[in-house]
Amino acid sequence: MDRLTLSRIDEDLDSSEVAELCFLCRDVVPRKRLEGIKDARELFLRLEEKGVLNDLFLKELLNTIHRADLLRVLETDSRPSNETVVTPVLSDYRKVLYRIYDDMTEENLGKLKFMLTDKVGKRQLETCQTALDVFAEMEKSDFISDTNVNLLHQILPELDHELANIIQRYTQGMRSTSLCKHMTPEQLSITETQPNVNRSIHTDAEPQPPSRPDQSEYYPLTHNPRGLCVVFNNEIFTGSELKDRGGTQKDADALDTLFTRLGFEVVIHNNLTAAAMLDEIRSISTRNFQNDDALVVCVLSHGERGCVFGTDGNKVHLEDLTFPFTSGRAPTLAGKPKLFFIQACQGDQYQKGFVPCTLRPGEEENERGLETDAGPPPEAVPSQADFLIGMATVEEYKSFRNTVTGSIYIQELCRQLMSSAESREMDDILAVLTRVNREVSKGDYLHSKQMPQPKYTLTKKLVLKYVT
């Protein structure tokens, strides 16, 4: 481009506008090459080095920062363009962040920095003069990216409704784009352009004649209260290298509200050591459950494969949580559902996302060998029968928790159980947990995935509804 034209544009841009342009160009020019730029001429040189300095890109930059007046300067440059056909465009991600910055008040900027202190760091945030500076620091710490704006999605509703709407619209568009991007052409043609009467999706949509459920297939829920719900909520860890679990109180509150409405007696234990957790479990197991229909135990803590941690950093094995409630140990619970929900990591690995491939019907089920669980139960209740263990993640992998809004798994679990409890449909707990699996697995958390895993030996259907 003509140097004189670029110089004229540079003269009309102040330092704050140059900083805005630098932020918008972070997808095109490496971050280190943008550091220390004081005027637009330096930025133009960096863009020229990358071979992306052209009229179209510069016009989009100027339009985004509301300097359409400078487009007239570009129009006076009548030189023919030598640029390649592939023209860089500003990503929707950059433009969305700019819109949030543009609409953010000083008061909301202060609140944003405060809410990010535990994540980004107080020292880094003190140097941030604008929301764009904050976003840049979040990107350095890998808290946001073009494919992951979950943290902003959770924080902005606390600040301003309009800001939340901006990120909400971007998230919806991102999910739609991601869905199309990860579909094979065959999948797109089947679901979108070839409505075939032989496809199972068509037959699933046909109305089914109403049928009266066989009550013998369901666990009876007749007592009030329905039973006991115990929540172990470990937030503050002492005497170990484990970090405190900010946001866990949101999970405890959500579980309290949910199971109270479902008719359970809720007891919450905060910040117990491993020994104290085991003592409490043993104490609960001696209870007479004759007038209880079910038992629910929720554990909110750190963990690794096959165990969770007490606040002292010592392990509590999952089998030590469930064994005291087996039929032989707690006979008044025999034949009754015992639900365990575990919000904790089960390893230190991060799950990646992969494009799905088509499996033959029944292939996955056969590999898991579920046939043995599907046979008719013997007359005597097996020791390990009637358990359901809802794990936040599969073994070896991490689970995720937001320090402001709570953990991904527990919050989705409560949402789905509440929705099911309010519905007229008789969806059982396994159908609900399948929806939890689906919704959690859709998300992108720090560029990783999370896959919850229910394990069960239930012998009947369990349907949870609000007690009126």
Side-chain angles (χ1 to χ4, degrees), residues 97-115:
L97 292 184
Y98 184 87
R99 282 194 60 197
I100 294 171
Y101 148 80
D102 206 26
D103 290 350
M104 186 171 290
T105 64
E106 285 295 323
E107 180 183 0
N108 281 335
L109 174 60
K111 292 179 181 178
L112 175 67
K113 291 166 70 173
F114 176 78
M115 296 176 73

Side-chain angles (χ1 to χ4, degrees), residues 45 56 178 193 269 276 313 332 352 387 389 415 425:
L45 287 175
L56 291 177
S178 175
T193 61
H269 298 286
T332 55
K352 296 180 180 179
F387 277 89
I389 304 177
R415 273 192 292 271
E425 301 295 326

Side-chain angles (χ1 to χ4, degrees), residues 197-399:
V197 293
N198 294 321
R199 297 293 182 187
S200 61
I201 190 170
H202 176 78
T203 58
D204 287 343
E206 292 176 350
Q208 299 295 321
S211 60
R212 194 168 184 176
D214 184 354
Q215 294 301 316
S216 65
E217 294 184 359
Y218 293 81
Y219 287 108
L221 297 176
T222 57
H223 290 90
N224 193 4
R226 296 285 187 252
L228 179 65
C229 172
V230 182
V231 180
F232 293 96
N233 179 35
N234 287 346
E235 178 179 10
I236 300 172
F237 290 77
T238 58
S240 71
E241 296 180 356
L242 298 172
K243 295 181 179 179
D244 292 348
R245 299 180 60 257
T248 189
Q249 190 58 46
K250 291 287 187 179
D251 291 345
D253 292 343
L255 290 168
D256 188 5
T257 300
L258 169 68
F259 283 101
T260 297
R261 292 191 65 187
L262 290 174
F264 284 79
E265 173 192 350
V266 180
V267 178
I268 298 178
H269 298 286
N270 293 310
N271 301 316
L272 297 188
T273 64
M277 290 175 68
L278 289 172
D279 285 344
E280 192 59 42
I281 286 291
R282 283 190 285 267
S283 175
I284 296 168
S285 69
T286 63
R287 174 185 172 116
N288 183 353
F289 292 95
Q290 197 68 41
N291 294 321
D292 294 318
D293 296 320
L295 169 69
V296 179
V297 176
C298 306
V299 180
L300 315 174
S301 190
H302 289 297
E304 59 183 33
R305 182 176 180 177
C307 73
V308 294
F309 289 103
T311 55
D312 54 353
N314 290 328
K315 297 179 181 179
V316 175
H317 293 281
L318 297 184
E319 58 205 46
D320 292 331
L321 293 175
T322 59
F323 180 70
F325 303 104
T326 53
S327 301
R329 296 278 173 171
T332 55
L333 267 178
K336 299 177 180 180
K338 297 162 277 285
L339 313 181
F340 289 75
F341 296 107
I342 311 298
Q343 170 54 49
C345 292
Q346 287 296 291
D348 58 4
Q349 297 185 45
Y350 288 92
Q351 291 193 64
K352 296 180 180 179
F354 298 93
V355 178
C357 64
T358 303
L359 292 175
R360 292 188 297 274
E363 182 175 352
E364 183 181 3
E365 287 77 4
N366 291 337
E367 290 176 358
R368 292 182 180 178
L370 293 181
E371 297 86 358
T372 56
D373 291 337
E379 292 182 4
V381 177
S383 178
Q384 302 290 339
D386 305 300
F387 277 89
L388 182 144
I389 304 177
M391 305 296 298
T393 181
V394 294
E395 289 185 351
E396 308 291 352
Y397 289 96
K398 289 179 176 289
S399 60

Side-chain angles (χ1 to χ4, degrees), residues 36-98:
I37 288 181
K38 301 299 182 185
D39 55 51
R41 280 179 295 183
E42 293 181 69
L43 174 61
F44 296 152
L45 287 175
R46 300 291 188 273
L47 294 173
E48 198 171 45
E49 289 172 2
K50 300 296 292 184
V52 297
L53 185 61
N54 56 66
D55 281 0
L56 291 177
F57 188 48
L58 193 50
K59 284 178 181 178
E60 189 169 14
L61 285 172
L62 294 174
N63 265 323
T64 302
I65 66 168
H66 314 300
R67 291 304 306 268
D69 59 309
L70 293 179
L71 298 182
R72 289 190 295 271
V73 178
L74 283 175
E75 291 168 0
T76 62
D77 181 9
S78 59
R79 294 190 175 200
S81 173
N82 294 321
E83 289 125 14
T84 61
V85 177
V86 180
T87 303
V89 293
L90 287 177
S91 68
D92 290 338
Y93 165 70
R94 289 284 155 203
K95 289 190 282 189
V96 161
L97 292 184
Y98 184 87

Side-chain angles (χ1 to χ4, degrees), residues 416-423 425 427 432 435 464-465:
Q416 293 298 337
L417 282 172
M418 285 181 177
S419 176
S420 177
E422 294 168 348
S423 171
E425 301 295 326
D427 288 340
V432 174
R435 288 197 287 269
L464 297 172
K465 296 293 185 181

Side-chain angles (χ1 to χ4, degrees), residues 155-202:
I155 288 178
L156 291 181
E158 304 280 338
L159 304 182
D160 183 271
H161 181 67
E162 291 303 319
L163 297 180
N165 285 340
I166 294 173
I167 205 68
Q168 177 69 26
R169 287 191 291 270
Y170 172 73
T171 303
Q172 291 171 345
M174 183 174 64
R175 287 175 179 168
S176 175
T177 302
S178 175
L179 178 61
C180 294
K181 187 185 297 182
H182 288 88
M183 276 188 174
T184 65
E186 293 80 4
Q187 288 171 316
L188 283 171
S189 63
I190 289 172
T191 58
E192 299 292 339
T193 61
Q194 295 180 0
N196 190 322
V197 293
N198 294 321
R199 297 293 182 187
S200 61
I201 190 170
H202 176 78

Side-chain angles (χ1 to χ4, degrees), residues 15-29 31 33-40 42-43 61 65 94 132:
S15 59
S16 64
E17 290 170 323
V18 172
E20 293 169 3
L21 292 175
C22 286
F23 181 84
L24 292 171
C25 290
R26 284 168 69 94
D27 294 332
V28 181
V29 180
R31 175 172 53 85
R33 295 291 293 156
L34 292 171
E35 290 178 354
I37 288 181
K38 301 299 182 185
D39 55 51
E42 293 181 69
L43 174 61
L61 285 172
I65 66 168
R94 289 284 155 203
L132 294 183

